[in-house]
């Protein structure tokens, strides 16, 4: 995996701070993400990993600092604009559309690519019908890729947890994102499911060149997957570098193993 | 047998109209998780707009073709309901994103009073009539099969057909189009919907517009039966037992719930009513709804709510 082609910086977070009332969720965080790389954000529970992701995604508005995405600097993001800029995400606690089938859930990921308007769709006039077919083709490709062909028509609520996570990933992939934010993609999985998910993440990165920002608290998985790792603890950055560097960093070892000072 | 069928048909037709009103509640609840208390006021507002437009247009244009006048008035009323949806989203909903359901419910209660007041201020508070040329005379059908045939109210029959077509179109729209899918996505999970780039604001305007048009159709049908007056906003109360029975989250539930209530009302009046002194049609629906709340609170087709602790 050494020869993976990382490119220019596409996401640059500078001096970001986020507070909820008196609680400091993030303090002065800076790091960057390069094109095509797999970048992990790790840290113990409550370190501020999900807050970080929600800032990038535009769900939270940081009080200080800026986020530069593909050359454009933002102090205020909103989730839709972020989506339009080619950033997709998955959720730690599944946020699938429970009432829909696997196919429909993934089809919703094509929403931004739909060009026909509501009236054309209502009467399925030429273009709208063709468009639906074209999108369906892409979605079928994703379903094959994630090996969930057999569950196409199954309501997502009925699937086991590991497969629901795959559908969540599928919906994000349907956006054909340039950058994918994965919020604890392997939380709550057994070893086999974790291996499957790792393989999908590597394949996405390999085949589509998608930049991946990945949050995990399980260090083991991350070390094998990532090119570079940011370590957070109590909302502060305590480490940044290659997996090997980070593993050797005494602060990181402290944070994880809770060595007595 | 003949009288049973007659009652059954009458019940089905009235039930279809209940379904139509219940559908307004279900649409908004599904897409925004708001129980829209203002649905009845929207029916009144839309019917008032339609009635007055139909009155003003011939005066303004000198056209006296009822079909054209009514069509223009209807189009005008549709426009009014869309503008209204946009205003509601802009002034109320956009400021209450991610608030509790109860907060939104109170907001719709507020909208109710604003609509009732402004509707009557804009369009007047007399009793108006909507005349869309619905035939009033009853007809007899199946005279060969039954002695004396079955007496059917033609107006109810037409109204039921219109309601059925509208309900079918909406169901198709929700299930088969990309926009319908986006609407369902928003209903299931706001955050996830935003993350795939579905614009909440636009979706809400669409849903409230559709609910507005449904209110308009209900208002026109009920208005041409009962006349357009303040009490029209109370027909929405009839839809409450329907949504309790059918489930707040289900379009088929609204349809079947409406039919069950319609038929139940009529049959109970004929077969149980005499034993209880009659007049049970007025409260039968509510008692049925109450019984349902005890046994199956999520309704016939509603999603079962399981809270994880």
């Amino acid at each position: 995996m050494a020869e993976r082609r990382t490119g220019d910086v596409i996401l640059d977070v500078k001096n970001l701070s986020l507070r909820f009332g008196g609680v400091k969720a993030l303090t002065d965080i800076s790091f960057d993400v390069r094109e095509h790389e797999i970048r992990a954000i790790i840290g113990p529970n409550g370190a501020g990993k999900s807050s970080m992701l929600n800032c990038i995604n535009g769900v939270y508005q940081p009080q200080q600092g800026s986020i530069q995405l593909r050359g454009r600097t933002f102090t205020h993001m909103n989730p839709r604009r972020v989506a339009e800029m080619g950033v997709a995400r998955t959720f730690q606690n599944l946020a699938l559309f429970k009432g829909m089938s696997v196919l429909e859930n993934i089809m919703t990921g094509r929403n931004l690519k739909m060009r026909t308007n509501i009236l054309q769709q209502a009467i399925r006039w030429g273009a709208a019908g063709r468009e639906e077919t074209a999108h369906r083709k892409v979605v079928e490709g994703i379903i094959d890729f994630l090996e969930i062909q057999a569950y196409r028509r199954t309501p997502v609520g009925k699937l086991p947890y590991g497969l629901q996570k795959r559908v969540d990933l599928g919906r994000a992939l349907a956006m054909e994102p340039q950058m994918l934010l994965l919020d604890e993609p392997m939380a709550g999985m057994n070893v086999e499911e974790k291996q499957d998910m790792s393989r999908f993440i590597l394949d996405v990165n390999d085949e589509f060149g998608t930049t991946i920002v990945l949050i995990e608290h399980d260090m083991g998985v991350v070390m094998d997957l990532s090119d570079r790792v940011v370590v957070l603890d109590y909302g502060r950055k305590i480490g940044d570098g290659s997996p090997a560097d980070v593993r050797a960093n005494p602060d990181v070892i402290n944070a994880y193993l809770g060595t007595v000072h | 047998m003949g009288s049973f069928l007659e009652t059954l048909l009458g019940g089905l037709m009235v039930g279809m109209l209940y379904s139509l009103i219940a559908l307004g509640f279900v649409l908004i609840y599904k897409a925004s998780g708001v129980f829209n208390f203002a649905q009845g006021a929207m029916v009144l507002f839309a019917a008032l707009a339609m009635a007055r437009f139909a009155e003003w247009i011939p005066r303004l244009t000198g056209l006296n073709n009822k079909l054209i006048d009514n069509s223009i008035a209807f189009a005008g009323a549709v426009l009014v309901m869309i503008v209204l949806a946009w205003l509601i989203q802009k002034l109320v909903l956009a400021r209450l994103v991610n608030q509790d359901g109860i907060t939104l419910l109170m907001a719709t209660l507020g909208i109710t009073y604003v609509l009732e007041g402004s509707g009557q201020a804009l369009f007047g508070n007399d009793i108006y009539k909507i005349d869309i040329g619905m035939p009033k005379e009853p007809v007899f059908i199946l005279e060969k099969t039954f002695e004396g045939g079955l007496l059917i109210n033609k107006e109810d029959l037409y109204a039921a057909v219109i309601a059925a077509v509208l309900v079918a179109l909406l169901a198709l729209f929700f299930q088969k189009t990309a926009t319908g899918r986006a609407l369902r996505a928003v209903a299931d999970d706001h955050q996830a919907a935003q993350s795939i780039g579905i614009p909440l604001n636009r979706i809400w305007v669409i849903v409230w517009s559709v609910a507005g048009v449904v209110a308009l159709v209900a208002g026109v049908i009920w208005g041409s039966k009962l006349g357009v007056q303040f009490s029209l906003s109370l027909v929405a109360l009839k839809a409450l037992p329907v949504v309790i029975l059918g489930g707040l989250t289900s379009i088929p539930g609204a349809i079947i719930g409406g039919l069950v209530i319609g038929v139940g009302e009529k049959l109970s009046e004929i077969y149980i009513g005499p034993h209880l002194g009659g007049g049970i049609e007025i409260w039968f629906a509510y008692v049925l709804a109450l019984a349902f709340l005890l046994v199956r609170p999520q309704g016939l087709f509603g999603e079962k709510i399981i809270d994880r602790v």
Side-chain angles (χ1 to χ4, degrees), chain A residues 90-151:
Chain A
T90 66
F91 293 84
Q92 178 180 357
N93 305 314
L94 289 162
L96 291 169
F97 305 128
K98 294 180 293 293
M100 301 187 199
S101 67
V102 168
L103 182 67
E104 284 183 306
N105 261 282
I106 302 180
M107 278 298 274
T108 58
R110 303 297 293 171
N111 182 66
L112 277 176
K113 312 251 177 211
M114 298 270 177
R115 288 287 163 264
T116 52
N117 66 35
I118 180 169
L119 284 177
Q120 287 170 303
Q121 289 164 14
I123 46 183
R124 287 214 155 211
W125 201 322
R130 276 197 303 278
E131 185 177 44
E132 186 83 3
T133 317
H135 288 306
R136 177 69 189 274
K137 232 177 215 165
V138 178
V139 167
E140 286 295 337
I142 291 167
I143 288 176
D144 285 349
F145 176 80
L146 294 172
E147 296 158 19
I148 44 178
Q149 298 92 332
Y151 311 103

Side-chain angles (χ1 to χ4, degrees), chain B residues 29-211:
Chain B
Y29 188 82
K30 263 181 90 76
S32 46
V34 186
F35 185 83
N36 179 22
F37 208 84
Q39 194 66 32
M42 280 165 73
V43 171
L44 174 67
F45 193 91
L48 275 173
M50 170 75 189
R52 296 315 300 271
F53 286 166
E55 198 181 315
W56 293 335
I57 284 163
R59 254 190 262 154
L60 286 173
T61 60
L63 274 170
N64 260 321
N65 182 323
K66 202 182 247 172
L67 182 68
I68 297 178
D69 290 341
N70 273 324
S71 307
I72 299 175
F74 188 80
V78 167
L79 210 66
V80 166
M81 294 318 282
I82 292 174
V83 171
L84 191 66
W86 183 79
L87 283 174
I88 288 175
Q89 133 70 24
K90 208 73 185 162
L91 300 177
V92 184
L93 296 178
R95 283 149 217 283
L96 296 174
V97 177
N98 290 331
Q99 296 289 328
D100 279 347
I102 190 76
T103 311
L104 291 159
L105 173 70
M106 293 311 286
T108 65
L109 199 60
I111 295 172
T112 308
Y113 290 112
V114 172
L115 280 184
E116 284 173 0
S118 62
Q120 296 189 53
L122 282 170
F123 301 115
N125 52 9
D126 267 335
I127 300 173
Y128 304 98
K129 67 181 177 51
I130 291 178
D131 182 8
I132 48 169
M134 290 262 236
K136 299 276 185 196
E137 76 281 10
V139 287
F140 288 93
I141 59 164
L142 296 174
E143 275 170 297
K144 290 204 186 83
T145 329
F146 298 105
E147 195 187 333
L150 300 180
L151 182 69
I152 296 267
N153 187 339
K154 235 181 179 176
E155 186 181 27
D156 282 350
L157 184 65
Y158 280 32
V161 170
I162 294 172
V165 168
L166 189 68
V167 167
L169 283 178
L170 283 171
L172 276 177
F173 169 69
F174 254 73
Q175 291 301 326
K176 297 289 179 193
T177 69
T179 306
R181 200 160 47 217
L183 291 173
R184 282 184 293 145
V186 171
D188 270 355
D189 197 311
H190 287 182
Q191 214 194 358
Q194 279 184 305
S195 84
I196 48 174
I198 293 174
L200 287 190
N201 295 344
R202 200 194 308 158
I203 292 293
W204 279 336
V205 173
I206 292 175
V207 175
W208 281 75
S209 301
V210 172

Side-chain angles (χ1 to χ4, degrees), chain A residues 48-218:
Chain A
K49 304 178 300 275
S50 284
S51 298
M52 188 66 243
L53 198 82
N54 281 328
C55 285
I56 301 174
N57 188 224
V59 177
Y60 294 157
Q61 308 292 345
Q63 278 83 11
Q64 273 145 39
S66 66
I67 295 172
Q68 194 183 62
L69 183 59
R70 288 163 61 198
R72 286 174 65 185
T73 308
F74 294 92
T75 46
H76 294 286
M77 303 281 252
N78 80 59
R80 176 168 159 87
R81 182 132 43 101
V82 174
E84 281 170 344
M85 291 186 71
V87 179
R89 72 166 293 180
T90 66
F91 293 84
Q92 178 180 357
N93 305 314
L94 289 162
L96 291 169
F97 305 128
K98 294 180 293 293
M100 301 187 199
S101 67
V102 168
L103 182 67
E104 284 183 306
N105 261 282
I106 302 180
M107 278 298 274
T108 58
R110 303 297 293 171
N111 182 66
L112 277 176
K113 312 251 177 211
M114 298 270 177
R115 288 287 163 264
T116 52
N117 66 35
I118 180 169
L119 284 177
Q120 287 170 303
Q121 289 164 14
I123 46 183
R124 287 214 155 211
W125 201 322
R130 276 197 303 278
E131 185 177 44
E132 186 83 3
T133 317
H135 288 306
R136 177 69 189 274
K137 232 177 215 165
V138 178
V139 167
E140 286 295 337
I142 291 167
I143 288 176
D144 285 349
F145 176 80
L146 294 172
E147 296 158 19
I148 44 178
Q149 298 92 332
Y151 311 103
R152 235 185 233 107
R153 299 280 175 196
T154 315
V156 284
K158 298 215 166 106
L159 292 179
Y161 181 75
L163 288 178
Q164 292 197 25
K165 283 283 212 187
R166 272 193 225 178
V167 178
D168 194 9
L169 177 62
R171 183 177 62 191
L173 287 178
M175 293 169 67
E176 295 178 55
Q178 290 191 315
M179 187 158 82
L180 193 53
L181 310 174
L182 303 176
D183 193 354
E184 303 219 6
M186 282 165 260
M189 286 186 168
N190 62 32
V191 178
E192 202 177 320
E193 287 170 332
K194 278 184 186 178
Q195 283 170 349
D196 281 340
M197 188 50 87
S198 306
R199 182 164 51 86
F200 290 129
I201 292 171
L202 286 173
D203 284 352
V204 168
N205 182 251
D206 250 15
E207 284 183 32
F208 311 124
T210 313
T211 310
I212 290 171
V213 178
L214 159 78
I215 286 183
E216 247 326 316
H217 72 261
D218 177 352

